[in-house]
Structures are given as C-alpha cells and as structure tokens.
Amino acid sequence: MTNQPIIILVHPQLVENIGMTARAMANCALTELRIVAPRDPWPLGEVHLQRMMAASSGADSILEKAKLYDTVEEAIADLNHVYATTSRTNDMTNRIMTPRAAIPDMVERTRNDEKVGVLFGPERMGLINDYVAMAGTKITIPLNPDFMSLNLAQCVLLIGYEWYQANDSTPANQIRLGKSRPATRDEYQNFFNRLQMYLDEAGFFTADDQRPVMSRNLQASLQRAEMTEQEIRSWHGVIKALVLGPRRSTPSKLVEDEK
Amino acid sequence: MTNQPIIILVHPQLVENIGMTARAMANCALTELRIVAPRDPWPLGEVHLQRMMAASSGADSILEKAKLYDTVEEAIADLNHVYATTSRTNDMTNRIMTPRAAIPDMVERTRNDEKVGVLFGPERMGLINDYVAMAGTKITIPLNPDFMSLNLAQCVLLIGYEWYQANDSTPANQIRLGKSRPATRDEYQNFFNRLQMYLDEAGFFTADDQRPVMSRNLQASLQRAEMTEQEIRSWHGVIKALVLGPRRSTPSKLVEDEK
C-alpha cells in the first residue's frame, strides 16, 4: 500500500493514548500520524516521553515520524478528503456512515491517489462540531449505546482494522496443514471400509437393518472432520491398536503385513 | 440478544488487561466473562482490584459477575462450541478462519441456542496448542504480520466488534437531519433557477455558448451537496445578501416580498 490514510489526533489528552494509538496503527500497518495541539506540549519531557514509548509497545518509528500541528486546518490542509469519527448525536445535519461502509470509499480514493486522513477527537469529548463540519465523511462506529466509553486508541484500532481488512487477501477460511495435505476421498473410503470390516467382525451391527443407517451416520461424522492424510494414517493405527489389544499393540511383522 | 458468546481469558497476566477486556466487552454489549487461573490469585488484593477496576472504565458489573476456573476444561465444559483465537503458525493442522468469516457461524449457533465461548491466551504467549486443539473453530485476525504485538483487550475488542456488527442494524449510510429533512427536487430547482437568474443579471456567463456547460457543472456540484430544506433556505439568504450588498443585507420588507 503506497497511499494510506493519515491518522490525525486532535487535542489528545494522555500521552499513553498517543503511544497506544501508534501501537494500534502498527497493528494495522498504518504509518503516518499527525497530532494537533496535544495537552502536553511537545517536545515531551522525559517522563511523558517514556510513558508514551512504553504504551506504544515498540511502534517507536511512528511516533518519531509523527508531525505536530497547531490547528486542525493546518493538519488537513494538504488532504483531498477528510473523515471525522464522531459518536455525537447533535442537531447538525450529517451524512453518517459506519466504518464498514466508509472504508471502501477510502480505499478507492487512495487508489486514485487522493490523500486522505481520519480525525479523532480528544478523550471524553470527541471532536467538536466545528471540526466535524470540516470533514467530507462522518464516521460513527456502531457499538453498545449504553456504554459509550471507547478508548481513543481502540477507536483508531477499529478504523485501522477495517482499513486493513479491505486491503487484505487472507483467505476467510483456510486449512493450515503443517506437514500434511487434505486426505483424498480414496484414503477416506479405504479407512472407512477397514473400520466397517472390523466392526462387522466384532459384531457391532447387532441388527442387519440398522447397518446402513448407522454406517452412514459414522461416515458422515468422519467426513465432517475433514482429516489430513497424516490424520487418516493415525486413525488406521488407532483402530489396529484397539483390535489387536494390549499384547499386540506394538507393531509386529503380522500387523505390517496387513497394510 | 439473549444468547451471546462467553469471553474466556486463559491465564491472563495483568489485571489491567482484565479490566480493559471488560471495557471492550461492554463496548460490544458482551456481558459474560470467564477467567482461567489468572497470574494474580483471586480474590484480588486491594491494589490489584483498584487497578483492574480503573482500567475497566465503569464496566464493573462484568467483572463482578466474572467466573473463575482452575482449568480450561472446566471453563468450557458446558459449552457446545468453542472458538480459539491464535496468531500461531505451527505444525498443527488447523482450519483457520478470519473473524469476519467465523462470526456468521457464531451468530447462527447462538440463534440455535448453542452455548459458545471464545478462548484468548495469555499476553505475549497466546494459547498453547493443547488449548487450541480443544476448540472447534480457530480464529486468526488478519493484521500486520510485521507487528504482531496485539494487546489482549484489543483482541477481545476486535472479536466483540465483529460480533456486534453482525447483530447490528445501524444503516451503513444514513442522514442525521437534526431539525430538517432532505430537500425536494423542486426546492433544489427553485434555488438553482434563482441563482442562475442573478448570475444572468450580473453578467456571469460571458459567452453564450458556455452557459449550458457551466450551468450544468454548477448544478452538478449543488446536487452532490445533498442539502436539506433548511440548508437550501440558508443558501437563498446567502445569495440574496451577496446581490443586495452591505446596505441591504439585513432582511427588509422588500426582501421578504421577494420570497
């Protein structure tokens, strides 16, 4: 991603939250941070600096490259489109979007080489209406209306998370195979046939008319397991051990011949 | 939501993270927390208790109702389906899902009255393979592979956020109107006609052949603004003020008659 949204903290109060914001940004592969008139003046004193760095959990480079501004106007001056996060319900007329609805538009803009940024207001208060009015898109994160206390860095994380997902190609549902591969239908069938043979020998199917139904049910539960070739081999071993019992459960010439 | 996923923290190290987990849960309207053998033994001493409660930012009731367990086995005993969060890439064969892919399944299960829970491992280490193996579904959150330090409570937040979104009916894109309503096409057209009339009078369209193109462009930019009825009225006032100039910009009998 060459072009990504710039995170803009407006009047942040706590240096810990600036540090945690950098950490959340790093989690989402965002690198550009702008800070407008933080409560503690920059450059920070030693104590504040250490608290911020500790909270960033190693996202130092984002903090070191962060740019400081006196006003929101200056911080957004070079941007083509601004998103404002707000939980306010006020009398202002606003088109409000969820992050999930707003992010595809953000992705499109960055791909069209627009420079975009997201405004986050100070802890507790959020963005004042004057700053919300400066933004082309207003974003409100749908969360529990009975517990609105969303930490600043967590708000950044949720926007960054949605951004990352929109640009990510991780399969939604994948098998990590370790050293094996998914079993073939043939390997599945061989295993089930052997299981059924042993069960017949052991007199498992007491009534002949139950056999097809029970057999299908057993097979269905095996199918749901979606085993690997390695796992099928392990279960061959399990069955063999059960059939041969304690005296014979160590591999013997006879067992090997059975393969 | 009567039936919701239970959040299960396995061997959490820091009481602050337990408190922040409760806060993240409250943000996502999750209420049931289980804790397996935390590092600091429960009931917590006064200092630990205060640190946890401070970090929870008012999500006290979740912490007060939290249940303590000695083992993961006991903590999941009554559940029908368990999800394990893991960032591990190991030799285990695992079907790994993204939260976004796993949550619809979770919603279905809870609607079918299955009792489900999500396991979160200790800070730094994550869940050990023994616990991952106990889960029916493994979840890995796709985030920056070059910066894997995701805070425990933030991991809970992202799962809870996806859960909340899947159950939420907030319109993806809505107009909050304050005290007005979207303008009608007629109100738009009246405004534009008046604007054009004043521009004609002022000699704005210098060349006759430019008039249709410029007129269309002006109209298009007004359309994109998607104004309310109140805003259209304000812009009528703006134009009037500009035309009448400083001496007449206060509402006068004459201006009122023009309406």
Side-chain angles (χ1 to χ4, degrees):
Chain A
M1 295 177 239
T2 48
N3 198 0
Q4 48 166 236
I6 295 161
I7 301 298
I8 306 165
L9 301 184
V10 179
H11 308 325
Q13 304 292 298
L14 301 174
V15 289
E16 285 85 351
N17 282 334
I18 300 175
M20 285 169 63
T21 291
R23 179 180 185 175
M25 287 175 63
N27 285 139
C28 306
L30 296 173
T31 57
E32 205 171 331
L33 176 63
R34 297 181 179 184
I35 305 173
V36 179
R39 190 191 62 184
D40 301 305
W42 285 41
L44 292 169
E46 192 57 34
V47 174
H48 277 121
L49 189 67
Q50 278 180 9
R51 277 161 51 193
M52 180 175 76
M53 287 302 180
S56 81
S57 273
D60 308 22
S61 69
I62 292 172
L63 294 169
E64 283 154 12
K65 285 187 304 178
K67 287 187 194 141
L68 211 71
Y69 296 84
D70 289 328
T71 65
V72 174
E73 286 86 339
E74 292 168 272
I76 65 174
D78 62 328
L79 304 183
N80 300 109
H81 196 82
V82 173
Y83 300 78
T85 55
T86 173
S87 64
R88 297 264 178 121
T89 49
N90 53 32
D91 281 349
M92 255 174 89
T93 301
N94 273 328
R95 175 169 292 278
I96 304 281
M97 299 182 83
T98 63
R100 197 156 296 173
I103 294 290
D105 165 77
M106 193 187 288
V107 172
E108 279 306 310
R109 287 178 193 276
T110 55
R111 286 187 185 155
N112 291 332
D113 277 331
E114 285 191 48
K115 207 165 174 181
V116 307
V118 190
L119 294 174
F120 297 85
E123 299 90 333
R124 270 189 293 277
M125 293 300 297
L127 288 172
I128 62 171
N129 287 344
D130 287 347
Y131 300 150
V132 174
M134 290 178 190
T137 305
K138 287 81 174 174
I139 298 178
T140 294
I141 305 176
L143 284 172
N144 184 4
D146 299 327
F147 188 87
M148 294 293 276
S149 163
L150 184 67
N151 171 269
L152 174 57
Q154 295 198 313
C155 188
V156 173
L157 176 72
L158 291 178
I159 300 296
Y161 167 77
E162 287 284 0
W163 162 262
Y164 195 91
Q165 303 314 302
N167 287 283
D168 185 57
S169 59
T170 304
N173 186 343
Q174 66 177 319
I175 290 188
R176 277 192 207 144
L177 288 166
K179 289 163 182 156
S180 189
R181 55 164 177 77
T184 62
R185 292 308 95 191
D186 189 42
E187 286 158 352
Y188 247 104
Q189 206 54 53
N190 283 342
F191 172 69
F192 188 70
N193 289 345
R194 170 171 287 188
L195 174 64
Q196 208 164 25
M197 184 192 78
Y198 281 130
L199 291 178
D200 278 331
E201 282 179 17
F204 175 77
F205 301 106
T206 45
D208 266 2
D209 57 342
Q210 291 178 347
R211 192 176 180 282
V213 176
M214 291 183 75
S215 178
R216 270 200 303 277
N217 288 346
L218 290 173
Q219 200 165 8
S221 63
L222 282 175
Q223 292 291 347
R224 282 200 303 274
E226 298 190 56
M227 291 196 264
T228 63
E229 181 272 336
Q230 170 66 61
E231 287 170 334
I232 292 272
R233 271 193 285 135
S234 296
W235 283 99
H236 273 290
V238 166
I239 286 175
K240 227 178 264 176
L242 292 173
V243 167
L244 298 178
R247 285 165 306 169
R248 303 277 295 279
S249 64
T250 44
S252 69
K253 182 79 179 64
L254 202 145
V255 173
E256 284 306 305
D257 288 348
E258 252 181 70
K259 272 191 183 168
Chain B
M1 296 176 239
T2 48
N3 197 0
Q4 50 167 236
I6 295 162
I7 300 300
I8 306 166
L9 302 184
V10 180
H11 308 325
Q13 305 292 298
L14 300 174
V15 289
E16 286 84 353
N17 282 333
I18 301 175
M20 283 168 64
T21 291
R23 180 181 185 173
M25 288 175 64
N27 286 139
C28 306
L30 297 173
T31 57
E32 204 171 334
L33 176 63
R34 297 181 179 183
I35 304 172
V36 179
R39 190 191 64 183
D40 300 307
W42 285 43
L44 292 169
E46 192 56 35
V47 174
H48 278 123
L49 189 66
Q50 277 180 10
R51 276 160 51 193
M52 180 176 75
M53 287 303 181
S56 81
S57 273
D60 308 22
S61 69
I62 292 172
L63 294 169
E64 283 155 12
K65 285 188 304 177
K67 288 187 193 140
L68 213 71
Y69 296 85
D70 289 329
T71 65
V72 173
E73 287 85 339
E74 292 169 89
I76 65 173
D78 62 329
L79 304 183
N80 299 109
H81 196 81
V82 173
Y83 300 78
T85 55
T86 173
S87 65
R88 296 262 180 123
T89 49
N90 53 33
D91 281 350
M92 257 173 89
T93 301
N94 273 328
R95 177 170 290 279
I96 305 279
M97 298 180 83
T98 63
R100 196 155 297 173
I103 294 290
D105 166 75
M106 192 186 288
V107 172
E108 280 306 311
R109 288 179 192 275
T110 54
R111 286 186 184 157
N112 292 332
D113 277 331
E114 285 192 49
K115 208 164 172 179
V116 307
V118 191
L119 294 174
F120 297 85
E123 298 90 332
R124 270 190 294 276
M125 294 299 299
L127 288 173
I128 62 172
N129 287 343
D130 289 347
Y131 301 150
V132 174
M134 290 179 190
T137 305
K138 287 81 174 171
I139 298 178
T140 295
I141 305 176
L143 285 172
N144 184 5
D146 299 326
F147 188 87
M148 294 294 276
S149 162
L150 184 67
N151 170 269
L152 175 56
Q154 295 199 314
C155 189
V156 173
L157 176 71
L158 291 178
I159 301 295
Y161 167 76
E162 286 285 0
W163 162 262
Y164 195 91
Q165 303 314 302
N167 287 282
D168 185 58
S169 59
T170 303
N173 186 343
Q174 65 176 321
I175 291 188
R176 277 192 206 143
L177 289 167
K179 289 163 182 154
S180 191
R181 56 163 176 76
T184 62
R185 292 309 94 187
D186 188 44
E187 286 159 350
Y188 247 104
Q189 205 53 54
N190 282 343
F191 172 70
F192 188 70
N193 289 344
R194 170 171 289 187
L195 173 65
Q196 208 163 24
M197 184 192 77
Y198 282 129
L199 291 178
D200 279 331
E201 283 179 16
F204 174 79
F205 301 107
T206 46
D208 266 1
D209 57 341
Q210 291 178 346
R211 192 174 181 281
V213 176
M214 292 185 75
S215 179
R216 269 199 305 276
N217 288 346
L218 289 174
Q219 201 164 7
S221 64
L222 282 175
Q223 292 290 347
R224 281 201 303 276
E226 299 191 55
M227 291 195 263
T228 62
E229 182 271 337
Q230 169 66 62
E231 288 169 334
I232 293 272
R233 270 193 286 138
S234 297
W235 282 100
H236 272 291
V238 167
I239 287 176
K240 228 177 264 176
L242 293 174
V243 169
L244 298 178
R247 284 164 308 171
R248 301 277 294 280
S249 65
T250 44
S252 69
K253 181 81 179 61
L254 200 146
V255 173
E256 284 307 303
D257 288 348
E258 251 181 71
K259 271 192 186 167

